[in-house]
Amino acid sequence: MSLTGHRTNGGTAGVLAPRVAIVYPGDSRRADTRSGTPHGLARGLEAAGARVEHVSAEPSPAAFALAKNLLAFGNLRRASGSGPTARLRAARAVAITSPRMSSFQTRTARRRLHAAGELDGVIQVGTGYLLAPVAPIATHDDMTVAQALEHGYPQWRALTARAAQARLDLQRRAYEAAAACCVTSRWAAESVVNDYDIPHEKVHVVGVGRNHSPEPLERDWDTPRFLFVGKDWERKNGPAVLRAFERLRRDVPEARLELVGGH
């Protein structure tokens, strides 16, 4: 697939590669940011012929650290954890999900997006902030706030009811303003439609790619060996992997499972 855009260049009309901005609260140029998703989107767009602009919705490192710590101080009483260090870490995680941090990211993203100049499209990775409609927007999420609240992730469970509702409302506004809502799974797509009343024809399941391509390896394939990588053990369904492997071992006792992550 190739992309083309009609734009005036120095007063002369012509067909140029479209300029598409990828907006993310972090460095979308890095291959290790958010499991490589923003970087992979950029590579895919460039392969399709687009010119990609990287726009960070995160303020400067110093400003972000200051805002996070100030917000974390107000969340210490609600944060869970054994010991002051764990509670502070949890409070910082809650600060990042708070509506105030969303407002901070919204202002930053809008200012930098305006500075990027004329664009043909915008990919908004994550919907914890709102963008001005400078070009058609496609959002990209792997799960919704409604799902995070339903499944009780600690940083979301620690939000007040008012803060949680504010984040739900903000995400709804982001979906409503978008030309397309892209998600990585049918599970997330169902939430966008059912929890946010977004028309199903506007929601697209785009799946996920990979951020590492292993080289071919000469080995004996008779003994099954599996690798599971999941930093967030519970959210990545680590316990379900163990249950499935337990059943496999009944039939294939010599099978091995390697685990990488916070298990």
Side-chain angles (χ1 to χ4, degrees):
M1 180 182 72
S2 62
L3 300 174
T4 57
H6 297 272
R7 188 192 301 281
T8 299
N9 185 8
T12 303
V15 179
L16 299 177
R19 293 182 73 234
V20 180
I22 292 182
V23 187
Y24 176 71
D27 189 354
S28 58
R29 294 179 177 87
R30 292 174 57 96
D32 58 352
T33 297
R34 190 166 170 165
S35 301
T37 297
H39 177 72
L41 289 171
R43 287 196 308 168
L45 286 167
E46 288 169 345
R51 292 177 295 162
V52 176
E53 301 293 332
H54 295 268
V55 177
S56 176
E58 190 172 272
S60 67
F64 177 69
L66 178 61
K68 180 174 65 175
N69 287 321
L70 287 174
L71 292 172
F73 182 76
N75 292 322
L76 277 174
R77 287 182 301 175
R78 299 181 60 84
S80 59
S82 56
T85 301
R87 289 186 63 196
L88 178 59
R89 188 183 301 114
R92 285 171 174 164
V94 176
I96 293 174
T97 63
S98 69
R100 290 185 179 181
M101 184 62 78
S102 293
S103 297
F104 205 5
Q105 291 175 346
T106 293
R107 290 194 297 270
T108 301
R110 290 188 174 192
R111 183 177 70 252
R112 291 177 177 168
L113 197 58
H114 177 75
E118 188 178 358
L119 296 164
D120 295 290
V122 176
I123 309 296
Q124 179 181 350
V125 183
T127 43
Y129 54 99
L130 290 175
L131 300 178
V134 297
I137 298 171
T139 61
H140 187 283
D141 279 315
D142 56 7
M143 70 184 302
T144 67
V145 172
Q147 290 172 321
L149 291 168
E150 178 184 357
H151 291 277
Y153 294 118
Q155 66 268 37
W156 293 97
R157 189 172 59 243
L159 290 177
T160 65
R162 182 176 180 180
Q165 187 60 52
R167 285 301 311 269
L168 286 167
D169 292 342
L170 184 146
Q171 189 168 56
R172 183 190 305 274
R173 291 170 62 191
Y175 289 151
E176 290 174 346
C181 303
C182 301
V183 290
T184 59
S185 67
R186 290 193 301 270
W187 174 65
E190 290 171 358
S191 177
V192 176
V193 173
N194 297 327
D195 296 324
Y196 296 86
D197 298 321
I198 302 301
H200 66 87
E201 60 270 15
K202 186 177 171 178
V203 183
H204 307 274
V205 179
V206 297
V208 293
R210 64 178 184 270
N211 56 7
H212 177 68
S213 298
E215 296 295 327
L217 178 65
E218 291 295 331
R219 52 160 285 190
D220 179 8
W221 293 94
D222 291 336
T223 301
R225 185 179 177 188
F226 303 91
L227 170 66
F228 175 82
V229 182
K231 181 178 179 181
D232 192 337
W233 178 250
E234 296 292 336
R235 188 168 71 88
K236 298 297 184 181
N237 250 342
V241 172
L242 290 183
R243 291 193 298 270
F245 187 69
E246 183 180 20
R247 293 175 58 185
L248 174 66
R249 284 288 295 270
R250 296 171 191 167
D251 298 326
V252 189
E254 65 274 18
R256 293 180 56 188
L257 172 65
E258 309 288 342
L259 301 176
V260 177
H263 54 82

